[in-house]
């Protein structure tokens, strides 16, 4: 089994986008998107990239054209479905549709209503798609890589699940009984710690539209380019202590005593403790950014991350694959995000007793 491949499918509630976004790794869009991400990432390491692109950029230009074609197909599908269901006739004066059809409340239709220009709508749709297409899957790949190397952490996750679902033999989570990340603080801490060590976007670049001043007093003229490395910031010993390179979920938690101390003393009950999450600021933990440009999909990513980790850890045992190179530290491949090179080969066995 390989974790972290693009076969991980994103399930979207938007009926217009579902068929396009439920894609295989071998689809033309997936291959084009992956190649373009890697090729663009290489530009940051090649000061002569413009010259290189002039002579050897045909494949990149073809990949970008395929990505844009896919974006246009999303908009064209939405426009066609609007025409078929006569949604345009159900708009109110505020631009919102009153139709009972589920398509009327979809993201793509709100973009079409609010923007109008189909090229810009296609770019916006691709932005939403690319932001969540690989980052969550890659984060989960690195999380299970770390869990395979820290079996005691796996036991702690299962103990937490056993406390929340006592006596449960099979953990079947759905939208009806899915616990919030706050209900599983240790599992959430595991996911946060994995994101800290392996941020899905390891470096960031922003350009100032206007002159501004940073909180420390640094003045940035208009059009200044600011680059920061989330990977390095998340491993800073100044911020995270001497064990900054270690996988330690407990750094995201603190113990709190449950119940009133006097009441426990009167009843002769010993202290009961539970984990309480520790909130980190965006300056300490810039994975999701902060302020007005904080990640819109953070809550969804956290919910999905906790859901997948809890479900799979409860149902399966994971072990690293054998063979040449296995057992060594896994590396990321060149990209704008942080995919694991060659995926994560591993053995997966069910924890259920097969009769």
């Amino acid at each position: 089994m390989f974790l972290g491949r693009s076969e991980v499918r994103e399930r979207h509630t938007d009926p217009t986008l579902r068929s396009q976004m439920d894609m295989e790794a071998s689809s033309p869009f997936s291959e084009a998107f992956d190649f373009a991400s890697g090729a663009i990432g290489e530009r940051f390491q090649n000061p002569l990239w413009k010259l290189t692109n002039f002579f050897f950029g045909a494949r990149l230009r073809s990949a970008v054209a395929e990505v844009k074609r896919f974006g246009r197909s999303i908009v064209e599908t939405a426009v066609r479905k609007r025409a078929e269901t006569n949604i345009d006739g159900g708009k109110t004066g505020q631009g919102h549709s009153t139709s009972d059809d589920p398509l009327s409340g979809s993201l793509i239709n709100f973009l079409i209503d609010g923007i109008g220009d189909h090229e810009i709508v296609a770019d916006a749709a691709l932005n939403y798609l690319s932001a969540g297409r690989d980052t969550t899957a890659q984060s989960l790949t690195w999380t299970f890589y770390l869990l395979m190397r820290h079996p005691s952490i796996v036991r702690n996750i299962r103990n937490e699940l056993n406390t929340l679902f006592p006596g449960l033999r099979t953990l079947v989570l759905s939208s009806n009984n899915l616990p919030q990340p706050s209900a599983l603080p240790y599992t959430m801490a595991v996911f946060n710690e994995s994101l800290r060590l392996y941020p899905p976007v390891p470096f960031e670049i922003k350009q100032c539209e206007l002159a501004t001043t940073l909180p420390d007093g640094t003045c940035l003229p208009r059009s200044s380019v600011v680059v920061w490395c989330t990977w390095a910031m998340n491993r800073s010993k100044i911020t995270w202590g001497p064990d900054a390179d270690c996988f330690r979920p407990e750094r995201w938690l603190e113990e709190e005593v449950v119940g009133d101390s006097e009441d426990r003393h009167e009843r002769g009950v010993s202290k009961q403790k539970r984990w309480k999450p520790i909130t980190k600021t965006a300056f300490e933990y810039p994975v999701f950014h902060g302020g007005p440009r904080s990640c819109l999909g953070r809550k969804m990513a956290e919910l999905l991350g906790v859901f997948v980790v809890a479900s799979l850890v409860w149902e399966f045992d994971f072990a690293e694959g054998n063979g040449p190179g296995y057992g060594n530290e896994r590396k990321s491949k060149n990209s704008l995000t942080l995919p694991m090179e060659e995926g994560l080969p591993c053995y997966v066995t069910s924890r259920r007793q097969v009769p």
Side-chain angles (χ1 to χ4, degrees), residues 13-17 78 81-82 87 97 101-113:
T13 58
D14 189 330
T16 307
L17 304 183
K81 287 186 177 292
R82 285 162 65 101
I87 290 178
S97 173
D101 189 287
L103 183 61
S104 64
S106 66
L107 170 63
I108 192 69
N109 274 285
F110 277 113
L111 291 175
I112 292 173
D113 291 338

Side-chain angles (χ1 to χ4, degrees), residues 119-316:
E119 286 294 325
I120 298 178
V121 172
D123 289 341
L126 285 171
N127 187 46
Y128 277 100
L129 174 58
S130 61
R133 175 179 173 270
D134 284 338
T135 51
T136 304
Q138 291 166 8
S139 299
L140 288 167
T141 302
W142 291 108
T143 299
F144 279 95
Y145 164 67
L146 291 167
L147 290 175
M148 285 184 232
R149 298 198 156 201
H150 297 82
S152 62
I153 305 299
V154 175
R155 290 193 293 271
N156 290 341
I157 293 175
R158 289 172 179 164
N159 289 338
E160 181 176 62
L161 291 169
N162 203 33
T163 301
L164 186 63
F165 304 103
L168 187 66
R169 297 185 60 185
T170 301
L171 184 63
V172 180
L173 297 178
S174 67
S175 58
N176 296 325
N177 68 344
L178 187 63
Q180 293 298 312
S182 58
L184 295 169
Y186 192 87
T187 307
M188 184 69 241
V190 169
F191 191 55
N192 280 335
E193 183 71 346
S194 172
L195 290 173
R196 182 185 71 84
L197 291 172
Y198 297 100
V201 183
F203 65 95
E204 289 283 356
I205 299 177
K206 301 293 181 186
Q207 186 171 25
C208 299
E209 289 294 320
L210 299 172
T212 188
T213 302
L214 296 181
D216 68 347
T218 302
C219 295
L220 298 176
R222 183 177 180 273
S223 300
S224 297
V225 176
V226 180
V227 182
W228 69 93
C229 182
T230 308
W231 173 286
M233 294 172 67
N234 284 351
R235 292 170 180 257
S236 169
K237 291 180 169 59
I238 297 175
T239 303
W240 298 97
D243 64 346
D245 291 326
C246 299
F247 179 59
R248 188 171 65 83
E250 288 77 12
R251 75 175 78 245
W252 294 88
L253 302 164
E254 62 182 1
E255 284 187 332
E256 67 172 358
V257 178
V258 181
D260 182 77
S261 58
E262 294 184 3
D263 181 60
R264 288 197 313 273
H265 179 72
E266 292 176 359
R267 293 185 290 124
V269 178
S270 59
K271 291 183 178 179
Q272 294 183 356
K273 296 182 179 180
R274 66 181 178 189
W275 290 117
K276 179 182 177 182
I278 297 177
T279 302
K280 305 290 186 180
T281 68
F283 296 100
E284 298 172 284
Y285 180 61
V287 170
F288 293 101
H289 301 296
R293 289 178 177 80
S294 60
C295 177
L296 296 176
R298 175 172 186 169
K299 294 301 180 183
M300 184 190 72
E302 292 175 343
L303 183 65
L304 182 60
V306 170
F307 165 73
V308 172
V309 171
S311 299
L312 294 184
V313 165
W314 184 266
E315 294 288 344
F316 302 99

